[in-house]
Amino acid sequence: MEAIIGTILIVAYFIIWLRFFPLGRRTFDVFKLNPFLLPFWWKFVGMGWLLFVIVYSIIQGNFNPSTNNFLLAGFYFGLLNISFSKEKNEDEFAQQTRMKAMYISIISLFFLIGIFSSFEITNPGSFSKSAFVWMMMLFNATLIVYLAYFYLTKYGFKK
Amino acid sequence: MKNSLKIERAIKNLTQDDLAKLIGVSRQTINSIEKGRYVPSTVLALKISAVFEKQVNEIFELDDSD
């Protein structure tokens, strides 16, 4: 089962990745890159996928992210699809908020890497022995920061 | 930047949703502009001024902090 899901994910990543390239036309305006986002309804594909990953992990009887690679990789795919789908009305406010969220999440990623690398100094081997788990946790955390900033700003919970 | 969007909307008896539909943005965008969280682009400011049939600087004005 995992082999089939893994293969589907590899193919899906390549297809989705290609969509983000502005083929045939060049633009230097970052806000004009937004039309290359995934369609609005794709967000629900991501949500459905997250639900599947959670239910499948519960059926497997392993909901521990440090030992369940499927849970980590599956969560990442779901969050990625939600993050890069358009809003119902992808206007200039949504576009600018998206760019700010991207900026904040990238800064968070650098600081999280700094924190994790410090653990490697205090406790050698803690990071490098389980690099996949830590890497997926880092990127999942980055996407969660991105989504949290984007939606909190969009719906006015943040000044 | 200060704006009188809420007052202009009340005069024209428009809801945030009505105005959002008229200028093709989301309701959250109008709400953010009214609360001063977001400064609209020139294009959007011109669209808003066209709805209220006023000059842009009659709706938006510079604040002391600008």
Side-chain angles (χ1 to χ4, degrees):
Chain A
M1 182 68 173
E2 267 90 356
I4 297 165
I5 296 171
T7 311
I8 292 168
L9 278 186
I10 292 166
V11 175
Y13 271 122
F14 273 109
I15 294 168
I16 295 167
W17 188 21
L18 281 175
R19 195 184 158 84
F20 288 89
F21 286 94
L23 298 173
R25 101 182 177 189
R26 288 172 192 275
T27 177
F28 295 101
D29 184 347
V30 284
F31 298 122
K32 296 249 169 72
L33 290 172
N34 280 46
F36 302 99
L37 288 168
L38 298 161
F40 168 70
W41 55 266
W42 196 266
K43 203 183 291 280
F44 300 107
V45 175
M47 287 175 188
W49 176 263
L50 276 184
L51 197 68
F52 166 71
V53 169
I54 292 166
V55 171
Y56 189 77
S57 299
I58 290 168
I59 291 167
Q60 275 184 322
N62 184 2
F63 208 71
N64 183 357
S66 61
T67 54
N68 189 349
N69 289 348
F70 172 75
L71 182 64
L72 284 170
F75 239 84
Y76 180 74
F77 185 69
L79 290 174
L80 192 82
N81 286 319
I82 297 169
S83 301
F84 301 118
S85 297
K86 280 182 196 172
E87 287 302 289
K88 203 167 192 173
N89 191 340
E90 187 73 21
D91 58 7
E92 59 173 56
F93 178 55
Q95 291 172 349
Q96 291 199 23
T97 309
R98 195 177 287 289
M99 288 301 158
K100 279 182 197 165
M102 182 60 74
Y103 173 73
I104 298 289
S105 63
I106 293 295
I107 288 174
S108 305
L109 174 66
F110 286 129
F111 277 92
L112 284 169
I113 289 172
I115 292 164
F116 283 7
S117 64
S118 304
F119 274 120
E120 189 68 21
I121 299 167
T122 55
N123 187 10
S126 61
F127 185 84
S128 52
K129 273 183 190 162
S130 51
F132 176 78
V133 172
W134 286 111
M135 185 188 78
M136 291 316 293
M137 281 187 169
L138 268 172
F139 287 110
N140 278 329
T142 306
L143 287 177
I144 289 168
V145 169
Y146 170 86
L147 285 169
Y149 185 88
F150 181 73
Y151 285 107
L152 288 178
T153 306
K154 194 178 171 208
Y155 290 99
F157 298 112
K158 208 168 180 306
K159 176 83 182 168
Chain B
M1 185 176 280
K2 290 185 287 187
N3 69 73
S4 57
L5 203 56
K6 200 170 180 176
I7 298 160
E8 299 296 343
R9 222 169 29 76
I11 294 167
K12 283 244 174 190
N13 202 20
L14 289 172
T15 63
Q16 287 187 341
D17 201 38
D18 294 334
L19 179 60
K21 280 177 186 151
L22 282 171
I23 57 174
V25 295
S26 65
R27 196 193 56 76
Q28 288 82 20
T29 304
I30 302 297
N31 186 46
S32 297
I33 295 170
E34 280 185 7
K35 291 198 171 159
R37 278 199 305 261
Y38 178 62
V39 177
S41 69
T42 314
V43 175
L44 193 52
L46 286 167
K47 283 184 184 174
I48 292 168
S49 71
V51 169
F52 297 117
E53 295 160 324
K54 285 194 170 181
Q55 298 288 315
V56 173
N57 56 6
E58 287 179 75
I59 302 167
F60 297 96
E61 58 179 296
L62 288 173
D63 211 349
D64 293 337
S65 58
D66 291 319

